[in-house]
Amino acid sequence: MGEQPASKPKDPAKRAPRGAGTASSARAAKALAQRADRPADPTGGAAPVEPADKPAGRKKDKPSARKEAASVEAASTEKTAAGKAAAVKSAASKKATSERPTSKKAAAVKPATKKAAPVEAAAKKVAAVEPATSKKAVASRAAAKKAASAGPALKKAAPVKPAKTAPGSKKAAEVTLAPAEQAPAAKRAKPDKPAAVKKAAPGKAVAKKAAPAKAVAKKAATKAESVAKKAAPAKAAVKKAATKAKAEGKAGGVATAGPGAAKGAGRGGKGVGGKPESHAAMVRRARRINRELAEVYPYAHPELDFRNPFELLVATVLSAQTTDLRVNQTTPRLFAAYPTPEDLAAANPEDVEELIRPTGFFRAKTKSIMGLAAALRDEFGGEVPGRLADLVKLPGVGRKTANVVLGNAYGVPGITVDTHFGRLVRRFGWTEQDDPVKVEAEICEIFPKSEWTMLSHRVVFHGRRICHARKPACGACPIAPLCPSYGEGETDPEKARKLLKYEKGGLPGQRLSPPPDYPGLPAPPLGAG
C-alpha cells in the first residue's frame, strides 16, 4: 500500500485555542505514527522484500512491538506537542532502521527513504506549532527512554547493518535517533562486523604474502642502485686517465727502441711529484735523465782494472759480493802468477785461494775461475768467446758478467744489471721489476741499443757517488727535478754534499789504473794505507 499524503497544516491565523490545539495535535501525532508503522513498498505493490538473514519469529515480534509503541505514544499525548514530535521521530527512525536491508540490498531502500520525506515534513510542521522549551526537551528525552525500554522484542530481531543512503536521500538522513537510542542501534550493527572481517581476511592474507616479496624487490633495487653509484666514479676516473694518456702519447710522438717496444705502450706509473705518468712521458723523462748523467759523468767507465777479455772476465767473477776496489787490489798478484787461461787451469787450488782470499768466498770463487779457465782452454782454444750464449755456459758466468765482457771487451751493447743499476732504475720510475732479467728487458725497450753500455756505466757511477742505497744525497743531485723519488734522502744542500763519494767528494776512485780522462785520484794498492 502507498503512503497517505500528510494533511495540510492549518493557517496560523485561524488556529484554535491552546486547549483545542492540544487534542488536535494528539490526533495528528497518532495518525502520523500509524502511517510511519506501515512498511515501505519499494516494489510498487509487490510483496515486500524481507532481509536476507531475517530470523524466525520476527513476524510475531512486530505486532507486540507496535502495540507497546502505540501505548507509549498514547500515554504521551498529555505531554507537550514538542515531546510528541520527538517520540514520532524516534518511532519513525526505529522503523526505518529495522526495515533497512543489508548493504547488498541497499538499492531497494531508496524508494522508502523518498517516501519518508513527507513524514519528516509533517513532523517539522507539528514541531513548529508550539516551540519547545528546555524543560519540554527534557521531558521528551524521558519519553524517548521509556519507549526504548518498552521494546525488548525489537532487540531479539536480527540486527541489520544500516545501509548507506544515496545522496538523494538527505532528507531521510535528517530523521536521526535520539542520543539514548543511538547506543542500541550501534549494538545491533555489531554482529555484522565479523562477516565483513571474514570476507576481508583473504585479501589481508594475500597482502601479507605479497609484502615480503615487495620488501625483497625493494632491497635488491636499492642495493643495485648503490653499487651503480659506487662504480660510476671509478669508471669515470678510468675513462679520464685513458683519455689523458692517449692525448699525451699523441703529443709526445716518442717511439721506444728495441723489438719489444710495443709491449710497453700501455705501461705507466708515477712521475715527478707522485702524479700519474704515461709510458710515453716516462720514456721522455728517462732519456733526459740519461743525457743529464752523460754531462755529469763524461768519464764513466767500467771500474775494474783489466788489460784483455780474460782478465776482465776473471775480475768480474771475483767482484761478486765485494767492491771493485777490493778486486782491483787483488787481481794484480793473481794475473802476475797466472796470466793465461791455461796457466790458471793448471794452478794449485790452494795457491789460488790464498791469492783471492781478500775478495771473500774465496773457495767458491777459486772453483769458478779455475773451471772457466779450463773450459776456455778445452772448448774455445784459450780465447774468451764473443757471444752471450757461449759466455753464459762458462762456470760462474751469468748475463751480467757476460754483458760486462761483451760491452767493454768486444764493444757489443748490453745492459749490466747489478745492485746499483737495479736500485736506481726503480727510483727513477723506469721499471717496477726486481728480477734482473726482466729489468734488463724493460730498460732495453726505453733506450736505443747504442746507449745500453754507457747508460749502464752512468747509472752505476751515479749510484756509487750520489744516489746511495741507505741515504741518497738528494740535495746535491743534479737530476733531482727529474726524479720521482726526490726526498728519500738528505735534501739540505750542505749536508748532502758531505755524503758524496769518490771524485765527487774529493776522494780516490776504485781503479788503480784509471782512464786518462778520469778527474779523480787512483785507488791505492792493497795494504798501502
Side-chain angles (χ1 to χ4, degrees):
M1 294 178 64
E3 290 286 345
Q4 295 292 333
S7 61
K8 294 182 180 180
K10 297 180 180 181
D11 189 7
K14 297 178 180 182
R15 285 184 299 183
R18 180 176 298 273
T22 304
S24 62
S25 298
R27 287 193 299 271
K30 185 175 182 180
L32 288 175
Q34 291 176 355
R35 290 171 188 169
D37 286 340
R38 295 175 185 174
D41 189 7
T43 59
V49 179
E50 290 295 332
D53 50 356
K54 181 176 179 182
R58 181 174 176 81
K59 292 181 179 179
K60 295 180 181 180
D61 294 337
K62 282 185 178 179
S64 61
R66 289 173 184 169
K67 288 179 181 180
E68 292 175 2
S71 62
V72 172
E73 288 178 353
S76 63
T77 53
E78 296 178 359
K79 304 297 180 179
T80 61
K84 294 173 184 178
V88 170
K89 286 184 182 180
S90 301
S93 59
K94 280 184 180 181
K95 187 67 178 180
T97 302
S98 63
E99 293 295 334
R100 279 179 191 162
T102 58
S103 58
K104 292 184 179 179
K105 299 180 180 181
V109 184
K110 291 181 181 179
T113 57
K114 290 181 179 179
K115 292 179 181 181
V119 177
E120 183 186 4
K124 286 184 178 180
K125 289 179 181 179
V126 173
V129 174
E130 187 174 350
T133 60
S134 58
K135 291 183 179 180
K136 293 178 181 180
V138 173
S140 65
R141 288 180 183 175
K145 288 182 179 179
K146 291 180 180 180
S149 61
L154 292 178
K155 292 184 180 180
K156 295 180 181 179
V160 180
K161 187 177 180 180
K164 294 182 180 179
T165 56
S169 59
K170 290 182 180 179
K171 292 182 179 179
E174 292 176 359
V175 183
T176 57
L177 295 173
E181 296 174 350
Q182 289 179 359
K187 289 181 181 178
R188 290 194 297 272
K190 284 183 181 179
D192 280 350
K193 288 185 180 179
V197 172
K198 288 181 181 178
K199 291 179 182 179
K204 289 184 179 180
V206 173
K208 286 182 179 179
K209 291 180 180 178
K214 289 183 179 180
V216 171
K218 187 175 180 181
K219 187 176 180 180
T222 305
K223 187 175 181 180
E225 186 178 355
S226 63
V227 170
K229 287 182 180 179
K230 290 179 181 178
K235 289 182 180 179
V238 171
K239 187 175 181 181
K240 186 176 179 181
T243 305
K244 186 177 179 181
K246 187 176 180 181
E248 289 181 352
K250 288 182 178 179
V254 179
T256 57
K263 296 180 182 178
R267 290 200 308 268
K270 291 184 179 180
V272 179
K275 298 179 181 179
E277 183 181 48
S278 67
H279 181 70
M282 183 273 291
V283 170
R284 292 195 300 270
R285 184 173 57 83
R287 293 184 176 184
R288 184 176 174 184
I289 289 176
N290 183 40
R291 293 194 295 270
E292 295 286 341
L293 293 178
E295 294 180 2
V296 176
Y297 308 106
Y299 47 85
H301 56 271
E303 295 195 277
L304 291 172
D305 288 327
F306 67 95
R307 294 171 294 183
N308 53 60
F310 172 67
E311 290 185 358
L312 181 57
L313 179 60
V314 172
T316 306
V317 172
L318 294 176
S319 66
Q321 306 298 322
T322 188
T323 63
D324 289 354
L325 174 60
R326 184 61 64 189
V327 173
N328 291 335
Q329 292 174 339
T330 303
T331 52
R333 296 171 58 191
L334 177 66
F335 294 141
Y338 312 104
T340 64
E342 293 81 3
D343 296 334
L344 185 57
N348 184 358
E350 294 180 358
D351 296 339
V352 176
E353 289 176 2
E354 191 62 29
L355 289 173
I356 66 172
R357 184 183 292 270
T359 62
F361 303 98
F362 56 91
R363 292 188 178 88
K365 290 179 180 179
T366 296
K367 186 176 180 180
S368 295
I369 63 176
M370 290 186 69
L372 70 86
L376 292 175
R377 178 195 63 191
D378 300 337
E379 298 179 17
F380 298 100
E383 298 293 332
V384 176
R387 295 194 320 141
L388 181 65
D390 295 333
L391 286 170
V392 295
K393 292 178 181 179
L394 300 174
V397 178
R399 289 186 64 88
K400 183 194 82 168
T401 301
N403 282 328
V404 169
V405 173
L406 292 174
N408 296 279
Y410 294 107
V412 178
I415 296 289
T416 304
V417 184
D418 65 354
T419 55
H420 301 289
F421 188 90
R423 180 179 74 250
L424 264 66
V425 295
R426 285 188 287 272
R427 282 182 178 175
F428 293 160
W430 297 354
T431 182
E432 295 180 353
Q433 301 294 336
D434 293 322
D435 183 80
V437 177
K438 294 180 180 179
V439 171
E440 178 185 347
E442 291 193 4
I443 301 304
C444 286
E445 294 176 3
I446 298 174
F447 297 94
K449 192 173 182 179
S450 59
E451 292 288 327
W452 290 356
T453 301
M454 289 308 299
L455 172 71
S456 301
H457 294 323
R458 292 164 189 158
V459 172
V460 171
F461 256 63
H462 190 64
R464 288 174 172 172
R465 285 151 178 81
I466 297 176
C467 195
H468 312 305
R470 295 183 179 179
K471 195 172 183 180
C474 295
C477 181
I479 61 170
L482 302 173
C483 182
S485 301
Y486 174 78
E488 289 186 6
E490 182 58 62
T491 56
D492 181 77
E494 293 297 329
K495 294 180 180 180
R497 274 194 288 270
K498 296 178 181 180
L499 301 174
L500 302 180
K501 294 183 178 180
Y502 304 114
E503 75 280 359
K504 293 299 181 180
L507 303 173
Q510 297 196 81
R511 292 190 65 170
L512 278 66
S513 301
D517 60 344
Y518 181 67
L521 301 172
L526 185 63

